[in-house]
Amino acid sequence: MSTTNLLEFDRDGLADFCARLGEKRFRATQLFRWIHQRGASDFDAMSDLARALRDKLKGCARVQAPPVISGQASADGSVKWLFDVGAGNAVEAVFIPEEDRGTLCVSSQAGCAVGCRFCSTGHQGFSRNLSSGEIIAQLWFAEHALRRRLKTEDRVISNLVMMGMGEPLQNLAALLPALRVMLDDHGYGLSRRRVTVSTSGVVPMIDRLARDCPVALAVSLHAPNDALRDQLVPLNRKYPIDELLQACKRYLAHAPRDFITFEYCMLDGVNDQIGHARQLVELVGRAGIRCKFNLIPFNPFPASGLLRSAHNQILAFAQVLGAAGIVTTVRKTRGDDIAAACGQLAGDVRDRTRVAERMAKQRTMQLQLQLNSSRRAEPSAAEVIGCGESI
Ligand code: SAH
Ligand code: SF4
């Protein structure tokens, strides 16, 4: 019998599920806390739930992240997990520790339909939307694997950015419940300011996000005019810069922060000239948008045919923006040794044969584990990968 994966639900959804089982809705809060705050997947371990409810749950529900194909740690402390979401598709999540925070970068789709020229995910094409459960599973798995690894019961992930694979605003229906779990005090309790959705500019969905779950917004601008942006971010042909900036302005009325972050990928000789920086200053000034700029040194991959801007060029570009009073940062590239940087995620997933081989190997490992395990027939993803201990 197929069971329902409880990671698919926000707290309201879980309450509906409990009600369908003939249970009181408030039971959902207890269950939700076991799952998200304690990382539990074994109903028997949920000791303060009535035995009858635990037995019911065992018959019809499960708590399960997609199988983890690999977990890799970078010399700089970043950790990247590759999840198998079926049919030869894999998505990634990356943890980036910093002195004052721990950020998890999460994927929203397998592949992406927007097809930006400088993005390895875009070059893969679109496979499918992730479900809410597959989105939140990345946080569920990473948070509890990191706690076990660091031997702490304290929260490790303090910030979350939807900057992994995929365009989150082309999968808003699944994104919204996942965001609610992230923000829920009985879930991860992240503040709205510390959850960032990054978009290439799906204008109507920016308005929907403002209405339904306003969190911090980052917009991938990458060009100061439509002619160039049309080339780099094909979605611009549908929602040109002026419309996008108007949507950003409307968003600010609801946003938890009083600025929009514009991301700008620095491409050598393409969008990195001083003239481009001056156009940007004029553009955001004219639109009257409170904003910050985050310049991202391009992370090259072979099929792009593009190069990263020289460091001095990036600094000179930043200086023009800074001189105009726009707070500008240059993103540090992290996890270089494990290809965990923006736009490089699952770079080798395009090579389906290699992924298929890795998945087959993983399945063999799982099988061996099952045969060796007298405790349970089905090892959880956490056990298979060793909860990060192997990384
Ligand atoms: N689809 C969303 C979120 C995922 S991409 C978006 O486009 O905003 C997250 C960020 O990484 C975006 O700003 C994107 O433009 C940037 N990016 C993509 N490929 C990159 C690359 N090769 N080098 C540097 N940044 C890249
Ligand atoms: Fe999709 Fe974002 Fe990559 Fe563009 S940059 S192809 S929107 S994931």
Side-chain angles (χ1 to χ4, degrees), residues 112-116 118-119 121-123 164-167 200 220 222 233:
C112 181
V114 178
C116 299
F118 49 84
C119 173
T121 309
H123 278 243
M165 300 167 70
E167 170 47 60
S200 55
S220 296
H222 306 312
V233 184

PDB file of all heavy atoms in Angstrom, residues 112-116 118-119 121-123 164-167 200 220 222 233, ligand 2:
ATOM      1  N   CYS A 112      15.691  23.617 -15.376  1.00  0.00           N
ATOM      2  CA  CYS A 112      15.009  24.919 -15.354  1.00  0.00           C
ATOM      3  C   CYS A 112      14.625  25.293 -16.769  1.00  0.00           C
ATOM      4  O   CYS A 112      15.385  25.083 -17.712  1.00  0.00           O
ATOM      5  CB  CYS A 112      15.924  25.989 -14.765  1.00  0.00           C
ATOM      6  SG  CYS A 112      15.141  27.620 -14.690  1.00  0.00           S
ATOM      7  N   ALA A 113      13.413  25.844 -16.904  1.00  0.00           N
ATOM      8  CA  ALA A 113      12.903  26.173 -18.240  1.00  0.00           C
ATOM      9  C   ALA A 113      13.338  27.552 -18.718  1.00  0.00           C
ATOM     10  O   ALA A 113      13.166  27.888 -19.889  1.00  0.00           O
ATOM     11  CB  ALA A 113      11.375  26.103 -18.221  1.00  0.00           C
ATOM     12  N   VAL A 114      13.923  28.362 -17.829  1.00  0.00           N
ATOM     13  CA  VAL A 114      14.243  29.741 -18.223  1.00  0.00           C
ATOM     14  C   VAL A 114      15.425  29.777 -19.196  1.00  0.00           C
ATOM     15  O   VAL A 114      15.440  30.576 -20.139  1.00  0.00           O
ATOM     16  CB  VAL A 114      14.500  30.630 -16.975  1.00  0.00           C
ATOM     17  CG1 VAL A 114      14.871  32.045 -17.380  1.00  0.00           C
ATOM     18  CG2 VAL A 114      13.256  30.652 -16.084  1.00  0.00           C
ATOM     19  N   GLY A 115      16.401  28.908 -18.958  1.00  0.00           N
ATOM     20  CA  GLY A 115      17.483  28.765 -19.930  1.00  0.00           C
ATOM     21  C   GLY A 115      18.438  29.944 -20.028  1.00  0.00           C
ATOM     22  O   GLY A 115      18.803  30.360 -21.137  1.00  0.00           O
ATOM     23  N   CYS A 116      18.866  30.475 -18.876  1.00  0.00           N
ATOM     24  CA  CYS A 116      19.836  31.582 -18.920  1.00  0.00           C
ATOM     25  C   CYS A 116      21.161  31.078 -19.500  1.00  0.00           C
ATOM     26  O   CYS A 116      21.580  29.953 -19.234  1.00  0.00           O
ATOM     27  CB  CYS A 116      20.071  32.134 -17.520  1.00  0.00           C
ATOM     28  SG  CYS A 116      18.562  32.791 -16.789  1.00  0.00           S
ATOM     29  N   PHE A 118      24.231  31.748 -18.956  1.00  0.00           N
ATOM     30  CA  PHE A 118      25.418  31.578 -18.105  1.00  0.00           C
ATOM     31  C   PHE A 118      25.182  30.533 -17.019  1.00  0.00           C
ATOM     32  O   PHE A 118      25.962  30.431 -16.075  1.00  0.00           O
ATOM     33  CB  PHE A 118      25.746  32.925 -17.445  1.00  0.00           C
ATOM     34  CG  PHE A 118      24.528  33.530 -16.825  1.00  0.00           C
ATOM     35  CD1 PHE A 118      24.129  33.151 -15.560  1.00  0.00           C
ATOM     36  CD2 PHE A 118      23.733  34.416 -17.548  1.00  0.00           C
ATOM     37  CE1 PHE A 118      22.974  33.659 -15.010  1.00  0.00           C
ATOM     38  CE2 PHE A 118      22.572  34.928 -16.991  1.00  0.00           C
ATOM     39  CZ  PHE A 118      22.188  34.548 -15.722  1.00  0.00           C
ATOM     40  N   CYS A 119      24.082  29.780 -17.108  1.00  0.00           N
ATOM     41  CA  CYS A 119      23.708  28.889 -15.999  1.00  0.00           C
ATOM     42  C   CYS A 119      23.696  27.439 -16.452  1.00  0.00           C
ATOM     43  O   CYS A 119      23.023  27.086 -17.429  1.00  0.00           O
ATOM     44  CB  CYS A 119      22.335  29.292 -15.457  1.00  0.00           C
ATOM     45  SG  CYS A 119      21.704  28.148 -14.221  1.00  0.00           S
ATOM     46  N   THR A 121      22.363  24.898 -14.946  1.00  0.00           N
ATOM     47  CA  THR A 121      21.023  24.302 -14.806  1.00  0.00           C
ATOM     48  C   THR A 121      20.181  24.656 -16.032  1.00  0.00           C
ATOM     49  O   THR A 121      19.462  23.813 -16.577  1.00  0.00           O
ATOM     50  CB  THR A 121      20.311  24.824 -13.539  1.00  0.00           C
ATOM     51  OG1 THR A 121      21.174  24.661 -12.422  1.00  0.00           O
ATOM     52  CG2 THR A 121      19.010  24.087 -13.295  1.00  0.00           C
ATOM     53  N   GLY A 122      20.270  25.915 -16.464  1.00  0.00           N
ATOM     54  CA  GLY A 122      19.517  26.364 -17.633  1.00  0.00           C
ATOM     55  C   GLY A 122      19.897  25.576 -18.882  1.00  0.00           C
ATOM     56  O   GLY A 122      19.037  25.255 -19.710  1.00  0.00           O
ATOM     57  N   HIS A 123      21.176  25.232 -18.993  1.00  0.00           N
ATOM     58  CA  HIS A 123      21.615  24.456 -20.163  1.00  0.00           C
ATOM     59  C   HIS A 123      21.069  23.035 -20.153  1.00  0.00           C
ATOM     60  O   HIS A 123      20.975  22.395 -21.189  1.00  0.00           O
ATOM     61  CB  HIS A 123      23.151  24.443 -20.233  1.00  0.00           C
ATOM     62  CG  HIS A 123      23.716  25.681 -20.850  1.00  0.00           C
ATOM     63  ND1 HIS A 123      24.439  25.676 -22.021  1.00  0.00           N
ATOM     64  CD2 HIS A 123      23.633  26.979 -20.484  1.00  0.00           C
ATOM     65  CE1 HIS A 123      24.791  26.917 -22.329  1.00  0.00           C
ATOM     66  NE2 HIS A 123      24.316  27.731 -21.399  1.00  0.00           N
ATOM     67  N   GLY A 164      19.278  27.419  -5.501  1.00  0.00           N
ATOM     68  CA  GLY A 164      19.847  26.209  -6.075  1.00  0.00           C
ATOM     69  C   GLY A 164      19.335  26.041  -7.503  1.00  0.00           C
ATOM     70  O   GLY A 164      19.166  27.018  -8.233  1.00  0.00           O
ATOM     71  N   MET A 165      19.041  24.810  -7.874  1.00  0.00           N
ATOM     72  CA  MET A 165      18.583  24.577  -9.240  1.00  0.00           C
ATOM     73  C   MET A 165      17.114  24.970  -9.383  1.00  0.00           C
ATOM     74  O   MET A 165      16.298  24.709  -8.496  1.00  0.00           O
ATOM     75  CB  MET A 165      18.752  23.092  -9.578  1.00  0.00           C
ATOM     76  CG  MET A 165      20.198  22.651  -9.479  1.00  0.00           C
ATOM     77  SD  MET A 165      20.333  20.875  -9.492  1.00  0.00           S
ATOM     78  CE  MET A 165      19.885  20.528 -11.181  1.00  0.00           C
ATOM     79  N   GLY A 166      16.800  25.587 -10.522  1.00  0.00           N
ATOM     80  CA  GLY A 166      15.399  25.856 -10.829  1.00  0.00           C
ATOM     81  C   GLY A 166      14.956  27.272 -10.534  1.00  0.00           C
ATOM     82  O   GLY A 166      15.638  28.038  -9.853  1.00  0.00           O
ATOM     83  N   GLU A 167      13.795  27.622 -11.099  1.00  0.00           N
ATOM     84  CA  GLU A 167      13.204  28.941 -10.915  1.00  0.00           C
ATOM     85  C   GLU A 167      12.053  28.795  -9.914  1.00  0.00           C
ATOM     86  O   GLU A 167      10.973  28.293 -10.272  1.00  0.00           O
ATOM     87  CB  GLU A 167      12.712  29.477 -12.272  1.00  0.00           C
ATOM     88  CG  GLU A 167      11.858  30.721 -12.204  1.00  0.00           C
ATOM     89  CD  GLU A 167      12.417  31.832 -11.314  1.00  0.00           C
ATOM     90  OE1 GLU A 167      13.532  32.315 -11.582  1.00  0.00           O
ATOM     91  OE2 GLU A 167      11.745  32.208 -10.348  1.00  0.00           O
ATOM     92  N   SER A 200      14.419  34.972 -11.529  1.00  0.00           N
ATOM     93  CA  SER A 200      14.887  35.593 -12.760  1.00  0.00           C
ATOM     94  C   SER A 200      13.864  36.624 -13.248  1.00  0.00           C
ATOM     95  O   SER A 200      14.084  37.270 -14.258  1.00  0.00           O
ATOM     96  CB  SER A 200      15.122  34.513 -13.812  1.00  0.00           C
ATOM     97  OG  SER A 200      13.940  33.757 -13.974  1.00  0.00           O
ATOM     98  N   SER A 220      17.441  38.369 -10.118  1.00  0.00           N
ATOM     99  CA  SER A 220      18.615  38.168 -10.962  1.00  0.00           C
ATOM    100  C   SER A 220      18.524  39.117 -12.154  1.00  0.00           C
ATOM    101  O   SER A 220      17.813  38.835 -13.114  1.00  0.00           O
ATOM    102  CB  SER A 220      18.655  36.715 -11.439  1.00  0.00           C
ATOM    103  OG  SER A 220      18.818  35.870 -10.327  1.00  0.00           O
ATOM    104  N   HIS A 222      21.336  41.015 -13.971  1.00  0.00           N
ATOM    105  CA  HIS A 222      22.392  40.600 -14.912  1.00  0.00           C
ATOM    106  C   HIS A 222      22.622  41.518 -16.113  1.00  0.00           C
ATOM    107  O   HIS A 222      23.554  41.286 -16.888  1.00  0.00           O
ATOM    108  CB  HIS A 222      22.172  39.174 -15.446  1.00  0.00           C
ATOM    109  CG  HIS A 222      22.004  38.147 -14.387  1.00  0.00           C
ATOM    110  ND1 HIS A 222      22.843  38.041 -13.302  1.00  0.00           N
ATOM    111  CD2 HIS A 222      21.072  37.175 -14.220  1.00  0.00           C
ATOM    112  CE1 HIS A 222      22.449  37.037 -12.525  1.00  0.00           C
ATOM    113  NE2 HIS A 222      21.369  36.508 -13.057  1.00  0.00           N
ATOM    114  N   VAL A 233      18.941  36.411 -20.180  1.00  0.00           N
ATOM    115  CA  VAL A 233      17.818  35.829 -19.409  1.00  0.00           C
ATOM    116  C   VAL A 233      16.590  35.838 -20.328  1.00  0.00           C
ATOM    117  O   VAL A 233      15.854  36.818 -20.388  1.00  0.00           O
ATOM    118  CB  VAL A 233      17.526  36.668 -18.135  1.00  0.00           C
ATOM    119  CG1 VAL A 233      16.436  36.020 -17.279  1.00  0.00           C
ATOM    120  CG2 VAL A 233      18.785  36.904 -17.315  1.00  0.00           C
TER     121      VAL A 233
HETATM  122 FE1  SF4 B   2      16.956  28.989 -14.270  1.00  0.00          FE
HETATM  123 FE2  SF4 B   2      17.973  30.702 -12.476  1.00  0.00          FE
HETATM  124 FE3  SF4 B   2      19.585  29.160 -13.998  1.00  0.00          FE
HETATM  125 FE4  SF4 B   2      18.237  31.169 -15.109  1.00  0.00          FE
HETATM  126  S1  SF4 B   2      19.848  31.344 -13.541  1.00  0.00           S
HETATM  127  S2  SF4 B   2      18.425  29.089 -15.930  1.00  0.00           S
HETATM  128  S3  SF4 B   2      16.349  31.100 -13.954  1.00  0.00           S
HETATM  129  S4  SF4 B   2      18.164  28.457 -12.447  1.00  0.00           S
END
